[in-house]
Amino acid sequence: MDRLPLRPLAGRRLDAPGARAEVRLERRQYAEPRLPAAPNAPIAVPSGEPSRERYEAENAALGGGAAATNEASASGGRKVGYIDTAASYVQFTVSAPAAGWYVLAARTGNGTSGQPWAIHGLSVNGGAASNFYVAYSGWNNWGTSTAKVYLNAGSNTVRFTRVSNYAEIDSLDLFPSL
């Protein structure tokens, strides 16, 4: 017979000398302890979440020295780094079912020495770039940086360029803004 831990159902503190108390116990079955999930493992989208499209950075158009490299912790096993100069870029072609506002969530890593923010320029369909901030997380410690963007129905381009410091891009999730 397995020994199960016993736990008091209720307890009283008795301060009087010679006081007696009855203690009732019940058997409880406890689950085995579990290890936490790996910090860089992608998390499945819970039910009830809006659907989203994932675009891997290694499949985007790259230029100016930006390059895809292997990385086991990246969602597709690869990431894009070397976005090191003003001429460096990562350009995604994304599809929107309807014109409107969307949330762009990029899986990013920033290991810049001194732990500052990294800033990329973000432009949609060739428009003016706005600042896209990537918090320091360390290389290959992925975080999420987000922006709200307006997309046309059908095909759109989303382009990241270097502004200051250094950040890598693993993937881009796109989902309708609520």
Side-chain angles (χ1 to χ4, degrees), residues 40-43 52-60 62 68-69 71 73-81 83 90-92 94 103-109 120 122 132 134 142-147 158 160 167-175:
N40 288 322
I43 299 172
R52 57 184 79 192
E53 292 294 323
R54 171 157 287 179
Y55 299 90
E56 294 293 339
E58 60 269 22
N59 298 329
L62 308 176
T69 60
E71 173 51 51
S73 66
S75 62
R78 299 193 65 167
K79 65 180 180 183
V80 172
I83 310 165
V90 181
Q91 184 169 298
F92 294 85
V94 301
V103 174
L104 174 151
R107 192 168 188 242
T108 55
H120 282 317
L122 168 64
F132 185 78
V134 179
W142 305 107
T144 302
S145 302
T146 61
V158 175
F160 294 93
E168 300 173 324
I169 302 174
D170 174 26
S171 61
L172 177 71
D173 287 347
L174 195 62
F175 53 99

Side-chain angles (χ1 to χ4, degrees), residues 2-148:
D2 292 334
R3 295 180 135 277
L4 297 175
L6 299 175
R7 182 176 153 224
L9 283 173
R12 283 189 196 155
R13 183 178 171 156
L14 301 173
D15 294 328
R20 296 168 51 143
E22 177 182 323
V23 176
R24 295 177 292 158
L25 301 173
E26 71 174 348
R27 291 185 185 273
R28 291 258 172 138
Q29 184 71 37
Y30 294 95
E32 291 294 319
R34 296 183 182 177
L35 296 175
N40 288 322
I43 299 172
V45 176
S47 62
E49 286 283 316
S51 64
R52 57 184 79 192
E53 292 294 323
R54 171 157 287 179
Y55 299 90
E56 294 293 339
E58 60 269 22
N59 298 329
L62 308 176
T69 60
N70 294 332
E71 173 51 51
S73 66
S75 62
R78 299 193 65 167
K79 65 180 180 183
V80 172
Y82 304 102
I83 310 165
D84 297 342
T85 69
S88 302
Y89 67 87
V90 181
Q91 184 169 298
F92 294 85
T93 299
V94 301
S95 182
W101 291 99
Y102 289 81
V103 174
L104 174 151
R107 192 168 188 242
T108 55
N110 169 6
T112 305
S113 178
Q115 304 181 4
W117 288 86
I119 303 172
H120 282 317
L122 168 64
S123 62
V124 176
N125 294 325
S130 60
N131 285 342
F132 185 78
Y133 295 89
V134 179
Y136 177 84
S137 60
W139 298 125
N140 304 321
N141 291 316
W142 305 107
T144 302
S145 302
T146 61
K148 191 172 181 180

